[in-house]
Amino acid sequence: MDGARIPRVDERILDRRGLDLLIDVLRGRGYRVVGPTASDTAIVLGELESGADLPAGWGVETGPGRYRLHRRGDDAVFAHSSGPRSWKQYLHPPRRQLWSTDRDGPWEPPVVDETPYAFVGVHGCDLAAIAVLRRVLCPDPDADTPTARRFRSLFVVAAHCTEPGGVCFCASMGTGPAAGPGYDLALTELLDDHGHRFLVDVGTEAGAAVLGDVECRVAEADDVDRARRAVAEAARHMGRHMPDTDLRGLLRRARDADVWEDVADRCLTCGNCTMVCPTCFCTTTEDTTDLTGEHAERWQHWSSCFELDFSHLHGGDVRTSGESRYRQWMSHKLGTWFDQFGSSGCVGCGRCIDWCPVGIDITEEAARLSELLPAWGQDDR
């Protein structure tokens, strides 16, 4: 995904067979191709061996604490909202070894598989999340680290969203439904009386090179118009929206608001929201040894600000109540993230609403806070 931007070129059309060929071409170029696939009761991300692995004909119904897979009346492959897994798991693995050593031996770095990834079917919200993770995890994008190299070698085939889910609010976060910058190729799925096809936008020279190996045709004006209208229509049918107010300033002033106690009465502090979030990045480390004590390893794995000992210092745990932990998560995600990284930490994918066991909705909680704005005075930015 670090290919140079190219001048605008004519959009192309891929048919369904052409999409399968695109996946074959990426695999032939040495990429590990990852995309959506239907597994058990959800659309999840997994390695694609061919286009047949895509979730053709599957859609989802979503709501607070609710996610259901269902059969569609067509063979669309990208007409679904976000599942429980995000692309983060490939760029920022849930668990990875940092080093190992034997007694009286040297410290050994882990053997890292640096096969480049090609992501297929990345919606706009998740493309924005990848950009956020890049800023967080790679402050020096040219660094000689496995993480930086993983981002540099990434190839992205985005999918402009045409069917947002019941908990999606990317339009109000400015991250969708159209995929923003950062893709090599972007597809808009069209399925009508004229057939099953994909309008292709080229984003980089690398994308143009890959597309050159795939049979396609120049798009007609009618196809371009249909695709653009479908994406624009999706923006008008979001299941949720974030209130249009200065949440950053509001969260600074609302530390002692009653809403935190109310949400804490419902929150299980299970950390599901942080595990499914495509931008949460917190980790902890653990050291392990074998039974003989001759071999030791250090591992890094995902952690969560909802864990009781996450804020542990030498004097004890700083945030002991569910109220303080939920306030910390929401205040960081929508407020202090700006101070650290220059943007919001929320991309509007809705996963935290879907996969909250008690259906807590971050957009509803933000709306409740915004209703308190007069009581907290004028914006103190």
Side-chain angles (χ1 to χ4, degrees):
M1 200 171 66
D2 69 329
R5 296 290 300 178
I6 64 172
R8 179 177 175 83
V9 297
D10 290 336
E11 292 88 349
R12 299 291 195 270
I13 289 290
L14 284 181
D15 60 17
R16 182 65 180 83
R17 188 177 65 84
L19 177 61
D20 294 347
L21 181 57
L22 174 61
I23 292 172
D24 292 341
V25 167
L26 289 169
R27 286 172 56 85
R29 286 173 170 252
Y31 288 102
R32 177 173 293 143
V33 181
V34 176
T37 185
S39 177
D40 297 326
T41 58
I43 302 294
V44 298
L45 300 177
E47 186 168 352
L48 304 179
E49 295 185 359
S50 72
D53 293 331
L54 291 168
W58 288 102
V60 298
E61 297 175 0
T62 61
R66 176 180 172 82
Y67 181 100
R68 295 291 185 273
L69 198 62
H70 69 84
R71 268 293 181 184
R72 295 173 54 86
D74 56 35
D75 290 325
V77 295
F78 298 131
H80 53 81
S81 55
S82 302
R85 298 179 186 171
S86 71
W87 310 91
K88 175 178 72 173
Q89 65 183 310
Y90 300 100
L91 300 169
H92 180 47
R95 181 176 171 83
R96 69 186 182 98
Q97 189 186 89
L98 299 179
W99 50 255
S100 65
T101 187
D102 294 314
R103 185 183 294 275
D104 300 325
W107 301 89
E108 298 288 350
V111 177
V112 179
D113 182 356
E114 297 202 20
T115 303
Y117 283 110
F119 293 165
V120 175
V122 181
H123 286 150
C125 57
D126 279 333
L127 187 62
I130 291 172
V132 169
L133 284 180
R134 184 192 294 268
R135 289 195 296 273
V136 171
L137 302 176
C138 301
D140 178 6
D142 298 319
D144 186 25
T145 66
T147 298
R149 291 194 294 271
R150 191 177 301 123
F151 274 98
R152 286 198 297 270
S153 64
L154 180 62
F155 188 97
V156 172
V157 181
H160 296 303
C161 185
T162 58
E163 294 194 31
V167 297
C168 295
F169 56 100
C170 63
S172 60
M173 300 305 295
T175 61
Y183 59 79
D184 296 286
L185 297 172
L187 310 178
T188 307
E189 188 168 21
L190 297 170
L191 208 166
D192 51 31
D193 293 340
H194 299 281
H196 192 179
R197 61 209 186 279
F198 304 85
L199 180 73
V200 187
D201 292 297
V202 178
T204 63
E205 291 181 351
V210 168
L211 190 63
D213 291 339
V214 181
E215 182 179 346
C216 56
R217 62 178 173 82
V218 174
E220 298 178 359
D222 185 59
D223 283 328
V224 176
D225 290 342
R226 285 172 185 265
R228 302 296 185 250
R229 285 199 304 270
V231 176
E233 188 67 17
R236 293 190 285 271
H237 289 86
M238 291 283 127
R240 296 286 192 279
H241 70 275
M242 191 65 76
D244 184 16
T245 189
D246 175 29
L247 287 173
R248 182 185 179 191
L250 178 61
L251 286 162
R252 270 201 310 268
R253 299 190 302 273
R255 176 179 175 81
D256 297 319
D258 293 338
V259 294
W260 302 122
E261 182 177 351
D262 176 75
V263 73
D265 287 340
R266 291 172 284 140
C267 179
L268 304 178
T269 63
C270 65
N272 268 19
C273 50
T274 59
M275 295 297 103
V276 298
C277 177
T279 64
C280 279
F281 59 89
C282 291
T283 60
T284 189
T285 59
E286 62 179 359
D287 294 336
T288 63
T289 63
D290 63 7
L291 292 177
T292 68
E294 296 293 323
H295 180 81
E297 298 177 350
R298 174 164 291 178
W299 288 77
Q300 172 185 282
H301 60 80
W302 289 354
S303 185
S304 170
C305 54
F306 282 93
E307 296 175 7
L308 184 60
D309 63 353
F310 183 81
S311 63
H312 183 80
L313 298 176
H314 54 274
D317 300 324
V318 175
R319 290 185 286 272
T320 58
S321 68
E323 176 183 347
S324 63
R325 280 176 271 165
Y326 187 88
R327 183 179 61 214
Q328 156 65 23
W329 174 71
M330 187 172 175
S331 297
H332 186 211
K333 188 66 59 178
L334 299 177
T336 54
W337 202 292
F338 283 95
D339 301 315
Q340 286 183 283
F341 308 114
S343 73
S344 172
C346 177
V347 295
C349 67
R351 287 184 177 92
C352 62
I353 306 172
D354 265 339
W355 299 97
C356 174
V358 295
I360 295 174
D361 183 338
I362 190 174
T363 64
E364 287 185 358
E365 300 308 321
R368 293 174 67 195
L369 281 174
S370 68
E371 291 172 0
L372 294 174
L373 185 60
W376 291 98
Q378 298 299 313
D379 187 357
D380 61 355
R381 283 176 294 180

